[in-house]
Amino acid sequence: DGGITQSPKYLFRKEGQNVTLSCEQNLNHDAMYWYRQDPGQGLRLIYYSQIVNDFQKGDIAEGYSVSREKKESFPLTVTSAQKNPTAFYLCASSLPHRGLDSPLHFGNGTRLTVT
Amino acid sequence: GENVGLHLPTLSVQEGDNSIINCAYSNSASDYFIWYKQESGKGPQFIIDIRSNMDKRQGQRVTVLLNKTVKHLSLQIAATQPGDSAVYFCAEKSRASKIIFGSGTRLSIRP
């Protein structure tokens, strides 16, 4: 089945350590996204990539970094510079069709806890 | 499970009744709208979308209504089932902007 795979589901790190969250998709989608979700809030965009080897900052990019070396993969690194890294992280992808908007398809998230 | 939606508005519905979840959007230039369902511990799942050239769209047991005059979007779920329990998000997008998500509504089903 096609889909988006995020791993691991739960991740624990000590403060001051960088950590990388994995996101892989086999939907052949061009665009990929990283969102952060906190209790009682909507999804906030961290980074997005419209095409391989290109990515843009979202609304809350500080303390995060990404790469897009392959179409299928869009890993997110949470650096020690991120002030409040504990959150639920969601990866998504989409396939813009003939210039029309299309829905994002999400993975099942990674819950990161930093102590 | 995840504590997503800890302080969200909650809609409680009797099993078998219809549910109506409302969403007010902010940007009058938004021309594409999406509803998502998020179960505990999972990512949001696409339910239905609608473009601004329509005011109603139906799917399987779901209907989305769009009122551009008052910037209001609603999701109607017919014959609500226990499996419909989740947090529901609306999202809006204009050509000049990225998708913006609402904070969500929790749907709770009474047996």
Side-chain angles (χ1 to χ4, degrees), chain A residues 9 22 30 33 38-40 42 47 53-54 57 59 68 74 77-78 82 84 88 95 100-101 115:
Chain A
K9 187 172 176 62
S22 169
D30 292 315
Y33 309 79
D38 294 285
Y47 267 98
N53 292 322
D54 186 48
K57 292 182 179 180
D59 302 316
R68 188 82 187 280
F74 191 40
T77 297
V78 184
Q82 166 52 231
N84 186 20
F88 189 49
L95 181 64
L100 295 177
D101 293 312
T115 58

Side-chain angles (χ1 to χ4, degrees), chain A residues 9-10 35 37 39-43 45 48 58-59 88 90 99-109 111, chain B residues 2-8 31-32 34 36 38 41-44 46 49 51 89 93 95 98-99 101-103:
Chain A
K9 187 172 176 62
Y10 298 97
Y35 287 88
Q37 188 172 40
Q41 296 190 36
L43 303 179
L45 182 63
Y48 65 103
D59 302 316
F88 189 49
L90 287 160
L100 295 177
D101 293 312
S102 61
L104 271 59
H105 297 267
F106 286 88
N108 277 326
R111 176 71 184 177
Chain B
E2 300 298 333
N3 60 347
V4 168
L6 191 59
H7 301 294
L8 293 177
D31 58 5
Y32 180 59
I34 315 164
Y36 287 93
Q38 187 174 24
K42 296 185 177 180
F46 170 77
D49 58 2
R51 303 188 191 279
F89 295 91
K93 188 181 185 306
R95 293 203 179 276
K98 300 177 288 295
I99 289 179
F101 290 88
S103 57

Side-chain angles (χ1 to χ4, degrees), chain B residues 15-87:
Chain B
E15 182 178 349
D17 287 352
N18 296 338
S19 300
I20 300 176
I21 301 171
N22 296 305
C23 179
Y25 63 93
S26 56
N27 185 358
S28 57
S30 292
D31 58 5
Y32 180 59
F33 306 88
I34 315 164
W35 278 102
Y36 287 93
K37 172 187 180 183
Q38 187 174 24
E39 297 174 279
S40 182
K42 296 185 177 180
Q45 176 186 2
F46 170 77
I47 302 173
I48 192 168
D49 58 2
I50 188 168
R51 303 188 191 279
S52 58
N53 60 348
M54 302 172 69
D55 53 19
K56 180 180 180 179
R57 191 172 186 211
Q58 289 184 294
Q60 186 177 14
R61 266 200 322 118
V62 295
T63 301
V64 56
L65 298 178
L66 174 63
N67 185 331
K68 295 181 288 292
T69 302
V70 296
K71 293 189 289 185
H72 184 266
L73 192 66
S74 69
L75 178 71
Q76 300 178 3
I77 304 173
T80 310
Q81 303 168 358
D84 295 327
S85 291
V87 175

Side-chain angles (χ1 to χ4, degrees), chain A residues 48-105:
Chain A
Y48 65 103
S49 168
Q50 304 274 43
I51 197 169
V52 175
N53 292 322
D54 186 48
F55 49 82
Q56 287 80 41
K57 292 182 179 180
D59 302 316
I60 55 165
E62 185 176 351
Y64 299 98
S65 65
V66 293
S67 62
R68 188 82 187 280
E69 297 176 2
K70 299 187 299 181
K71 187 175 185 177
E72 302 80 17
S73 179
F74 191 40
L76 173 74
T77 297
V78 184
T79 75
S80 56
Q82 166 52 231
K83 298 283 186 252
N84 186 20
T86 294
F88 189 49
Y89 290 88
L90 287 160
C91 179
S93 69
S94 69
L95 181 64
H97 179 65
R98 298 177 185 171
L100 295 177
D101 293 312
S102 61
L104 271 59
H105 297 267

